[in-house]
Amino acid sequence: NNTDLATELELPCDDAGSLSSGVALVDIVASASGEFGWVCGEASLAALVGTLYFVGFGVGAFGFGSVADSIGRRPSSQVSAAISAVFGLASATTASPTVYMASRMLTGIGIGGLATCSYVHATEMIGPSWQGVAGVGMSAIFSLGALLLVPLTMILPSWRALTLATAAAPALQLALLRC
């Protein structure tokens, strides 16, 4: 039917990653890889996005630890949450692959800072006898969040909608930290 929009591209790829033989089925709506054309010989760019995110996470976790020591846990958590929310939104809305990569790295910086600052902030407010329980609880919440991504992906199959939904979490945390 001519009125239906095609959401999948069938791309012929050979073993060397060029477009000639074999087939790669790419969903151009549900994946950033499909939308940005990171298939076949360009597939390494999709992996680079994940690497950039975790490099950013490391920078944020390390950098915001020092920042939190100098300006405080709560303000550092607020800045980290704002960075995460703003660049998560940028990730969800950009049409540029380069901006997408940069915004994923900056989102990683914010999430890394948020993880460090939130953990220390939460465990400093309770007595030493409960700090271990609080640490395990925060790890359990992270794991629960990862598990919730599965049904969320079923509800929001578009990568843009899913990215936007995950950007809402640090935005909500920012709102709660302002109270």
Side-chain angles (χ1 to χ4, degrees), residues 29-152:
V29 174
S31 73
S33 296
E35 185 172 324
F36 294 134
W38 296 334
V39 295
C40 299
E42 302 292 321
S44 62
L45 293 175
L48 178 61
V49 172
T51 300
L52 289 172
Y53 176 85
F54 282 106
V55 166
F57 187 95
V59 168
F62 182 75
F64 273 97
S66 299
V67 170
D69 288 341
S70 60
I71 69 168
R73 311 288 183 236
R74 188 181 187 110
S76 297
S77 292
Q78 290 171 323
V79 170
S80 296
I83 290 170
S84 301
V86 166
F87 290 103
L89 176 62
S91 297
T93 58
T94 187
S96 165
T98 305
V99 172
Y100 177 73
M101 287 182 182
S103 63
R104 293 311 298 158
M105 184 171 181
L106 291 165
T107 301
I109 289 172
I111 295 294
L114 199 53
T116 299
C117 295
S118 297
Y119 177 81
V120 174
H121 189 216
T123 57
E124 283 181 345
M125 292 191 298
I126 58 175
S129 62
W130 286 95
Q131 286 179 348
V133 173
V136 169
M138 289 185 74
S139 296
I141 289 171
F142 177 82
S143 298
L144 178 63
L147 287 173
L148 289 175
L149 279 175
V150 174
L152 188 58

Side-chain angles (χ1 to χ4, degrees), residues 18-38:
S18 62
L19 292 170
S20 63
S21 64
V23 172
L25 189 60
V26 179
D27 190 330
I28 60 173
V29 174
S31 73
S33 296
E35 185 172 324
F36 294 134
W38 296 334

